[in-house]
Amino acid sequence: MGEIHLAEPDVAIGIIGMGDMGKMYARRLAAAGWRVNACDRADKFESLKEEFAEIKNVHIYTNGHFVSRQSDYIIYSVEAELIDTVVGLYGPSTKLNAIVGGQTSCKAPEIAAFEKHLPKDVSIISCHSLHGPNVNPRGQPLVIIPHRTSTPSALDLVTRILSCFDSAFVTLTAAEHDRITADTQAVTHAAFLSMGSAWTANHQFPWESKRWSGGIENVKINVTLRIYSNKWHVYAGLAILNPAAQKQIKQYADSVTELFKLILVKDREEFTRRIREAGEFVFGGREEGLLLRDDILDQFSLSGVPKAQRKPNSHLSLLAMVDCWHRCGIVPYDHMICSTPLFRLWLGATEYLFRQPELLDDCIRFALDDESFRSDDLEFTFAARGWSDAVSNGDFNAYRLRFEKPQSYFAPRFPDAIKLGNEMVAKILRKTEEMESRVGSRDGGRP
Ligand SMILES: NC(=O)C1=CN([C@@H]2O[C@H](COP(=O)(O)OP(=O)(O)OC[C@H]3O[C@@H](n4cnc5c(N)ncnc54)[C@H](OP(=O)(O)O)[C@@H]3O)[C@@H](O)[C@H]2O)C=CC1
Ligand SMILES: O=C(O)C(=O)Cc1ccc(O)cc1
């Protein structure tokens, strides 16, 4: 474990945007002893002041001017779609020689906004915690992007401030960050978003059916519900604003469609060849233990269907994921430095299927010979293409409408799923930490 620096009394941290991530940062930084100046929109001033009244070191202001002019490291933690507007409003009020960064999930628009609106004396050092607000940051990747340093000590100060998260620092350029997170985040979300849309279209609650019970089905269900219980703009921003993400989401939809067509015409030879070639590209030569094991996965079922009564599944979502990685030339293990918990779970699920030959054989046979999944696979194909179109069109409102349908359909189950999902993520993360330490990290780990 790295050295934890003490808070410095003459340094103040500013947070503009006190949503889920802003609040998590404020609480942790304040608990480590740093002074935090924070704001959200003016109409939330009173409620925020009340919420943080008992929290030592957090000072709530009515707007970003008050935060900017008296803080030494200011973090913008707002919707990606709004970054240019909000930096345009408060950037000119930035304290002389301060440092500014942002938490948005796609860095090209954020850096462009900083370059456009910040005074020249201001350093730009951005960050991105690669996990949601309810995950313990300890050991999770935390990307640092030192884009413009106007004073030699600026990067040191940011490192000292963020060290209280005890995350694994990864230093990247904005362009590297966007390319790698497109591989790890955007296409992962596309798969789960498509599952949710397909289940909604088929009027299914998957945990009520024997076809989605136990094993990796628990990952599919819990992660899908976890994503739909979050805010739509988080997923919209990182997919729509990142051109590399759009390309991959399109390939995922193409992989789903092409595999589904091979199933329809029962082209066993081509279907099998394509799956095996993709599997060899992604998993060939891997000998380490599997990330996910039945005994762990079975603890996290929303359905409780006994193992003996479970039905096999065509797993089109997983087959297409590996085919997509193959077609894009992506070896997902190369991206562990920018992996999120959900990405590691998803990689674990694909690995579980592809590295157990009898399971993959069953799955291929089942996909081609058993018709009971055809209508599910058809809806999944429509859904994957629909999500790809929504992202390519770049229309945030259309994305929102598409997101909100499954969100309201699944809403009654969110409390159970989130509780179970948190336990599953925590347990599986402990296991995947071992794997990360085998793969290594860009900066050699924590500060
Ligand atoms: N949630 C996650 O898992 C993660 C999110 N991120 C990224 O972090 C950023 C924040 O995400 P998250 O906290 O989840 O989103 P939230 O929607 O919870 O928080 C964003 C907050 O910023 C506020 N805001 C908007 N405009 C202004 C303004 N002019 N002045 C002050 N506050 C403003 C929003 O208000 P209003 O709602 O009224 O617009 C909202 O309260 C996003 O860019 C997201 O992509 C990064 C890592 C993980
Ligand atoms: O783990 C995931 O993929 C999440 O869904 C949480 C998340 C969302 C956005 C980010 O920029 C980082 C993490």
Side-chain angles (χ1 to χ4, degrees):
M1 195 65 32
E3 177 192 356
I4 301 291
H5 294 274
L6 295 176
E8 295 159 41
D10 54 340
V11 171
I13 298 157
I15 298 181
I16 296 177
M18 285 288 275
D20 296 332
M21 289 303 281
K23 284 181 188 175
M24 188 270 276
Y25 261 54
R27 286 179 195 280
R28 287 189 178 263
L29 291 164
W34 297 93
R35 179 190 166 101
V36 175
N37 301 317
C39 74
D40 200 276
R41 292 188 196 264
D43 60 357
K44 287 184 226 154
F45 172 66
E46 293 299 341
S47 60
L48 266 182
K49 220 171 141 55
E50 204 178 306
E51 185 179 344
F52 283 85
E54 304 295 320
I55 312 273
K56 203 173 148 217
N57 297 330
V58 178
H59 304 263
I60 303 292
Y61 292 92
T62 44
N63 66 51
H65 294 296
F66 294 103
V67 170
S68 287
R69 63 197 293 271
Q70 57 175 327
S71 304
D72 302 282
Y73 180 37
I74 300 130
I75 302 171
Y76 284 81
S77 189
V78 299
E79 294 92 323
E81 193 189 1
L82 300 180
I83 190 77
D84 183 72
T85 310
V86 182
V87 179
L89 276 173
Y90 306 125
S93 298
T94 308
K95 183 177 169 179
L96 197 71
N97 293 324
I99 312 164
V100 168
Q103 181 64 244
T104 67
S105 311
C106 178
K107 294 303 178 188
E110 183 184 287
I111 297 287
F114 291 155
E115 283 182 340
K116 184 165 149 201
H117 300 294
L118 294 176
K120 293 283 173 267
D121 56 276
V122 172
S123 296
I124 299 171
I125 303 183
S126 227
C127 62
H128 185 192
S129 286
L130 289 177
H131 56 84
N134 299 317
V135 171
N136 185 342
R138 188 179 164 274
Q140 300 297 331
L142 169 48
V143 179
I144 301 201
I145 299 170
H147 180 71
R148 180 173 94 190
T149 44
S150 309
T151 56
S153 56
L155 183 57
D156 272 356
L157 177 60
V158 170
T159 307
R160 294 201 300 279
I161 291 171
L162 298 180
S163 69
C164 68
F165 290 97
D166 206 13
S167 295
F169 283 176
V170 182
T171 307
L172 297 174
T173 65
E176 285 171 331
H177 167 278
D178 288 354
R179 190 175 41 73
I180 301 177
T181 54
D183 297 353
T184 56
Q185 288 194 273
V187 77
T188 301
H189 299 151
F192 290 109
L193 290 166
S194 303
M195 285 179 226
S197 295
W199 289 327
T200 307
N202 266 336
H203 309 289
Q204 285 152 340
F205 289 120
W207 53 87
E208 287 175 356
S209 161
K210 289 186 182 133
R211 294 193 294 175
W212 287 282
S213 51
I216 42 179
E217 304 301 345
N218 292 338
V219 172
K220 290 184 188 170
I221 295 168
N222 287 327
V223 173
T224 299
L225 293 195
R226 199 178 167 86
I227 287 177
Y228 277 107
S229 69
N230 206 343
K231 290 180 177 135
W232 68 274
H233 72 76
V234 173
Y235 304 104
L238 65 85
I240 291 176
L241 299 174
N242 187 339
Q246 292 195 15
K247 216 175 115 224
Q248 282 174 36
I249 293 169
K250 166 88 173 51
Q251 178 57 57
Y252 184 67
D254 288 349
S255 292
V256 172
T257 309
E258 285 158 24
L259 290 177
F260 185 63
K261 284 181 180 166
L262 291 173
I263 291 174
L264 280 186
V265 297
K266 291 193 190 294
D267 189 342
R268 187 175 307 270
E269 200 180 325
E270 175 57 11
F271 186 77
T272 309
R273 186 200 61 74
R274 195 159 159 166
I275 302 288
R276 296 217 188 279
E277 201 177 298
E280 182 54 32
F281 174 78
V282 175
F283 301 105
R286 298 226 145 244
E287 284 169 359
E288 305 90 345
L290 292 177
L291 283 168
L292 304 183
R293 289 195 327 255
D294 271 330
D295 58 331
I296 297 182
L297 289 172
D298 284 352
Q299 296 166 18
F300 301 106
S301 172
L302 280 169
S303 76
V305 175
K307 198 165 182 175
Q309 289 176 29
R310 291 177 198 160
K311 294 261 163 55
N313 184 325
S314 61
H315 288 307
L316 181 58
S317 61
L318 291 162
L319 300 178
M321 189 67 252
V322 177
D323 185 73
C324 169
W325 281 330
H326 179 216
R327 304 255 145 177
C328 292
I330 294 168
V331 177
Y333 297 95
D334 293 348
H335 294 326
M336 291 309 259
I337 54 162
C338 278
S339 64
T340 64
L342 302 193
F343 171 74
R344 294 198 287 280
L345 286 173
W346 191 223
L347 176 58
T350 56
E351 189 193 70
Y352 180 95
L353 181 62
F354 275 78
R355 289 187 53 209
Q356 302 193 82
E358 66 296 351
L359 217 59
L360 187 61
D361 290 347
D362 272 358
C363 170
I364 292 175
R365 212 179 7 257
F366 191 78
L368 291 161
D369 299 338
D370 190 302
E371 309 225 321
S372 61
F373 262 87
R374 288 290 186 279
S375 64
D376 303 298
D377 288 345
L378 175 70
E379 284 297 354
F380 184 76
T381 307
F382 285 148
R385 292 170 66 114
W387 277 110
S388 170
D389 288 347
V391 168
S392 305
N393 291 339
D395 181 340
F396 277 85
N397 206 39
Y399 188 106
R400 177 184 195 152
L401 295 173
R402 174 169 274 277
F403 188 94
E404 283 176 345
K405 228 172 156 181
Q407 186 172 53
S408 49
Y409 180 70
F410 289 124
R413 294 306 289 250
F414 287 157
D416 285 353
I418 290 163
K419 191 168 165 290
L420 210 61
N422 282 345
E423 289 167 22
M424 182 177 77
V425 166
K427 184 132 192 180
I428 291 169
L429 284 184
R430 281 200 288 280
K431 174 92 181 88
T432 59
E433 267 175 24
E434 293 163 22
M435 178 181 176
E436 277 165 76
S437 59
R438 285 200 296 268
V439 176
S441 95
R442 169 83 166 238
D443 274 352
R446 287 155 211 156

